[in-house]
Amino acid sequence: FFFQAEDGIRDYKVTGVQTCALPISYKLWRDLEQGLASPLFHEVGLFLAGAPESVAVRGTVAAAAEHGLPLERLTAAQARGRFPGFQFDDQFEVVWERQAGYLEVERCVLAQLQRAREHGADLRFHTPLLGWHEDDRGVTVETAQGSLRSRSLVVCAGPWSRDLVPGLEVRRKPVFWFPAPEELALQRGAGTFFFDLPDGQFYGFPKIGRAHV
């Protein structure tokens, strides 16, 4: 389960669909870290809180049971004692995933680009993409610097994907930073967090150094 900003990673998605694939992703991140001065993935844990019948809580518990994955279930009172920087409704169920954590996204991208170069990738920066089309021989990509041909195309254009893939729905995910008390500091044992509420799903990261939540 990957997050934007300081990206988060969990053992399994709410639906459990990605459960079998994510252990491989852990290994791949560790492999990518080889030779770097500091790790990309930080295993600090994650709590997920919400009503017992919420999609996130219900799906996470079901996926853990189905695949035999470690998961600690807490009452709201127990969660308040362990995570004093947060408020939990009395009706909440809280699950704790010890193996979860966060990724340093910018460093991850740089490391992936370097690994791609080492494997022969041709990286084109400052090259606007104008469009693409396919035929029985493959794909043609039109750029401001000319056309490129390939057997296949993977579109990773973020919020611009809708203009490149007709019919694709793109949703904006706002990211905010807030001043945080010391109770939310990584050094105080705080991990990543995820709330499934009637108003939406909200997640974040512990206070890391001087950074805000």
Side-chain angles (χ1 to χ4, degrees):
F1 191 80
F2 296 94
F3 293 146
Q4 265 186 322
E6 288 283 357
D7 237 351
I9 180 170
R10 311 172 47 209
D11 279 334
Y12 32 84
K13 196 172 173 69
V14 170
T15 60
V17 173
Q18 297 180 338
T19 304
C20 296
L22 278 176
I24 300 174
S25 74
Y26 279 98
K27 180 180 184 304
L28 293 175
W29 286 120
R30 293 305 189 196
D31 289 345
L32 189 62
E33 292 174 343
Q34 297 301 312
L36 300 181
S38 59
L40 299 171
F41 170 57
H42 301 268
E43 185 179 306
V44 299
L46 163 75
F47 76 70
L48 188 150
E53 67 275 10
S54 64
V55 173
V57 172
R58 184 180 70 249
T60 299
V61 171
E66 179 181 354
H67 297 277
L69 299 172
L71 190 71
E72 185 178 357
R73 302 175 69 172
L74 307 172
T75 65
Q78 290 171 325
R80 292 189 197 103
R82 184 178 297 190
F83 311 110
F86 296 90
Q87 297 181 15
F88 300 92
D89 188 278
D90 287 337
Q91 306 305 314
F92 276 3
E93 179 172 355
V94 182
V95 293
W96 171 252
E97 304 180 29
R98 178 185 56 79
Q99 293 179 314
Y102 67 91
L103 296 162
E104 297 184 37
V105 177
E106 291 81 4
R107 293 184 58 234
C108 289
V109 172
L110 293 175
Q112 289 171 325
L113 291 176
Q114 180 59 36
R115 186 65 59 88
R117 288 191 186 94
E118 294 170 357
H119 286 79
D122 179 9
L123 305 179
R124 307 284 183 94
F125 298 101
H126 307 293
T127 306
L129 174 62
L130 305 179
W132 65 277
H133 64 272
E134 59 181 332
D135 53 36
D136 55 2
R137 295 177 298 170
V139 180
T140 299
V141 177
E142 302 292 348
T143 78
Q145 298 180 8
S147 299
L148 302 171
R149 288 286 300 176
S150 177
R151 288 179 296 179
S152 59
L153 172 68
V154 178
V155 177
C156 304
W160 296 274
S161 298
R162 181 169 52 188
D163 298 330
L164 298 172
V165 183
L168 179 67
E169 180 182 5
V170 179
R171 298 182 180 181
R172 182 184 179 191
K173 183 184 295 184
V175 177
F176 303 94
W177 295 95
F178 300 97
E182 287 306 309
E183 288 85 355
L184 301 184
L186 180 62
Q187 294 83 351
R188 296 284 295 273
T192 52
F193 58 89
F194 187 106
F195 285 90
D196 192 348
L197 306 176
D199 293 331
Q201 295 179 331
F202 305 87
Y203 64 84
F205 309 87
K207 180 180 180 182
I208 305 165
R210 299 179 62 183
H212 293 177
V213 170

